[in-house]
């Protein structure tokens, strides 16, 4: 009798559907494990990807999407998954998990990276260092729209009501033009380099109906816009921002409520508010919506590095850069930003 062994393979286009079928069926699968990210990252940023999977007797038993981000400014790292809040290994059994983890460490050494980073929602390797920096906010939605409105704490609910009273309306855009305008203005104001419009277009092209842009208007004028990802019974508002009018008109509060309302009407059961850094404005904003922060375990295998990378706006050494970036004219920040943001995965 021939004994079948698990094997490691690298994803090719012919196996995209098999990969996605596994991700969709696995309880720990996320939107960020989908095969489409391979296309998005290669096309929008030009980074090398290694989407690894284990196979046993012709069936996929585990997957691991890896992105190699090699930057003179921000270091040389292998990440699962870059530009995504979740990632890491998902597998049917311990043997498949171990096989993928071992291969990832071997590949990291072969590539000579500083670190291998696996972005988990749960602690997987207690012996490995991890960043105590990020949390995520997830909440179950009720099937009734008004019940969800009443679940928002009173002060934050008042902000949503003010947006309604101001006459704000929401609409679904078929392109990313207004999204990129609102988002780039917001991140410039935060001192962060913006992603290219090409990246947003590629996301929309690759993920189709799973990637939806909602924009908020006031008398036909753009106030705010957000790109939402739909996966199984979840919605994830991922890239969002507002114009200078958003604060006075409570545009962001209204925008996220509209995402929630429309999701409930579609039968979506989980609202994922996404990742935030502890102690930031977005962290406080999401807590004010009644969401409870859950720690994220971004675990590292150190290859050439002797300590964890610290590439985030809270790092004091970036404060001068952030202050200068906030003062850039918007068109200049939109032009220069993509050259930097493509390595900030």
């Amino acid at each position: 009798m021939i004994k079948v062994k698990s094997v490691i393979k690298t994803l090719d286009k012919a196996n995209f559907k098999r990969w996605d079928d596994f991700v969709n069926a696995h309880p720990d699968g996320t939107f960020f494990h989908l095969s489409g990210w391979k296309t998005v990252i290669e096309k929008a940023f030009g980074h090398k990807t290694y989407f690894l999977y284990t196979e046993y007797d012709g069936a996929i038993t585990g997957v691991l999407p890896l992105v190699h981000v090699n930057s003179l400014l921000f270091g040389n790292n292998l990440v699962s998954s870059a530009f995504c809040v979740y990632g890491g290994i998902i597998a049917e059994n311990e043997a498949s998990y171990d096989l993928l983890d071992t291969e990832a460490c071997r590949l990291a050494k072969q590539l000579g990276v500083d670190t291998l980073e696996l972005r988990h929602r749960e602690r997987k390797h207690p012996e490995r260092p991890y960043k105590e920096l990020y949390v995520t906010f997830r909440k179950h939605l009720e099937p009734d729209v008004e019940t969800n409105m009443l679940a928002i704490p009173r002060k934050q609910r008042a902000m949503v009501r003010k947006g309604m009273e101001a006459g704000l309306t929401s609409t679904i855009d078929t392109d990313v033009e207004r999204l990129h305008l609102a988002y780039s203005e917001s991140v410039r104001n935060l001192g962060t380099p913006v992603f290219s419009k090409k990246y947003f277009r590629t996301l929309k092209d690759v993920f189709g109906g799973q990637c939806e842009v909602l924009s908020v208007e006031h008398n036909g004028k753009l106030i705010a816009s957000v790109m939402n990802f739909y996966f199984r019974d979840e919605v994830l508002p991922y890239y969002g921002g507002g114009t200078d009018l958003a604060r006075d008109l409570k545009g962001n509060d209204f925008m996220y409520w509209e995402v929630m309302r429309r999701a409930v009407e579609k039968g979506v059961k989980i609202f994922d508010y996404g990742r935030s850094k502890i102690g930031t404005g977005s962290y406080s904003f999401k807590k004010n919506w009644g969401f409870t922060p859950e720690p994220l375990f971004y675990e590292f295998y150190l290859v050439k590095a002797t300590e964890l990378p610290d590439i985030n706006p809270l790092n004091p050494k970036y404060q001068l850069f952030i202050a200068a970036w906030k003062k850039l004219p918007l068109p200049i920040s939109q032009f220069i930003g993509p050259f930097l943001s493509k390595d900030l995965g």
Side-chain angles (χ1 to χ4, degrees):
M1 183 177 179
I2 299 174
K3 203 168 185 179
V4 179
K5 290 184 178 181
S6 292
V7 294
I8 287 269
K9 293 187 175 181
T10 302
L11 182 65
D12 57 20
K13 198 165 185 178
N15 287 290
F16 275 20
K17 185 179 184 304
R18 293 179 64 223
W19 173 293
D20 288 341
D21 287 345
F22 177 84
V23 171
N24 280 298
H26 196 283
D28 295 329
T30 71
F31 181 82
F32 305 103
H33 285 96
L34 293 173
S35 64
W37 284 98
K38 177 177 172 63
T39 304
V40 168
I41 288 166
E42 290 175 351
K43 186 174 179 181
F45 302 121
H47 296 311
K48 177 71 175 174
T49 64
Y50 301 86
F51 275 45
L52 308 176
Y53 65 95
T54 50
E55 192 174 82
Y56 179 82
D57 199 19
I60 292 179
T61 56
V63 302
L64 173 59
L66 289 165
V67 181
H68 184 196
V69 183
N70 188 2
S71 166
L72 289 173
L73 286 175
F74 306 115
N76 182 10
N77 301 287
L78 191 60
V79 188
S80 175
S81 187
F83 306 96
C84 300
V85 295
Y86 310 134
I89 300 166
I90 55 172
E92 284 186 353
N93 51 62
E94 191 174 335
S96 297
Y97 183 98
D98 290 343
L99 197 58
L100 286 165
D101 186 73
T102 300
E103 177 62 14
C105 293
R106 186 203 66 78
L107 180 61
K109 290 178 181 177
Q110 177 185 310
L111 294 172
V113 298
D114 300 324
T115 68
L116 164 68
E117 179 182 357
L118 301 178
R119 295 178 175 176
H120 301 300
R121 289 210 295 239
E122 298 176 355
R123 196 79 199 266
K124 300 290 187 181
H125 293 275
E127 77 282 3
R128 290 181 186 169
Y130 78 95
K131 280 186 180 177
E132 295 183 76
L133 177 65
Y134 296 110
V135 296
T136 189
F137 294 84
R138 290 164 57 82
K139 185 177 180 180
H140 283 270
L141 297 174
E142 298 298 327
D144 176 66
V145 170
E146 189 58 24
T147 302
N148 289 287
M149 171 65 85
L150 295 175
I152 302 171
R154 182 177 57 82
K155 287 185 178 179
Q156 202 69 33
R157 188 166 68 245
M159 298 297 102
V160 177
R161 299 283 194 199
K162 285 180 179 178
M164 293 177 173
E165 291 164 5
L168 298 182
T169 58
S170 70
T171 185
I172 303 301
D173 290 355
T174 56
D175 57 38
V176 300
E177 297 300 313
R178 298 200 297 175
L179 167 73
H180 190 260
L181 180 62
Y183 181 72
S184 59
E185 184 173 334
S186 268
V187 297
R188 188 277 312 272
N189 293 344
L190 292 170
T192 305
V194 70
F195 288 117
S196 68
K197 194 182 293 186
K198 178 183 179 181
Y199 174 47
F200 293 111
R201 284 176 180 153
T202 306
L203 283 167
K204 196 85 177 67
D205 290 343
V206 169
F207 290 111
Q210 286 184 276
C211 179
E212 182 180 86
V213 175
L214 179 145
S215 291
V216 172
E217 301 174 347
H218 183 253
N219 296 329
K221 190 170 185 177
L222 176 67
I223 301 300
S225 189
V226 61
M227 176 175 278
N228 307 292
F229 298 145
Y230 285 87
F231 177 76
R232 295 195 297 222
D233 60 352
E234 304 180 15
V235 62
L236 303 89
Y238 202 62
Y239 293 116
T243 67
D244 58 353
L245 295 173
R247 182 183 293 273
D248 291 341
L249 294 172
K250 313 306 175 190
N252 289 322
D253 302 273
F254 178 80
M255 176 176 71
Y256 288 115
W257 164 249
E258 283 295 282
V259 174
M260 186 179 290
R261 178 186 67 79
R262 288 170 180 266
V264 169
E265 291 175 351
K266 291 179 180 181
V268 171
K269 295 181 174 62
I270 295 174
F271 190 95
D272 189 324
Y273 233 146
R275 181 183 79 182
S276 288
K277 298 178 187 73
I278 296 170
T280 61
S282 67
Y283 175 92
S284 299
F285 180 81
K286 293 167 187 178
K287 279 195 73 176
N288 290 342
W289 273 70
F291 284 63
T292 301
E294 303 170 16
L296 288 172
F297 296 95
Y298 287 10
E299 296 178 339
F300 288 80
Y301 174 70
L302 304 183
V303 183
K304 288 189 172 182
T306 56
E307 59 184 19
L308 297 185
D310 190 17
I311 306 165
N312 80 84
L314 300 179
N315 187 333
K317 77 177 186 180
Y318 294 120
Q319 292 310 304
L320 286 177
F321 170 85
I322 290 170
W325 195 269
K326 289 179 179 180
K327 297 176 182 178
L328 284 178
L330 186 58
I332 294 176
S333 71
Q334 289 172 329
F335 177 75
I336 301 173
F339 293 101
L340 297 172
S341 62
K342 71 180 182 64
D343 293 332
L344 289 171

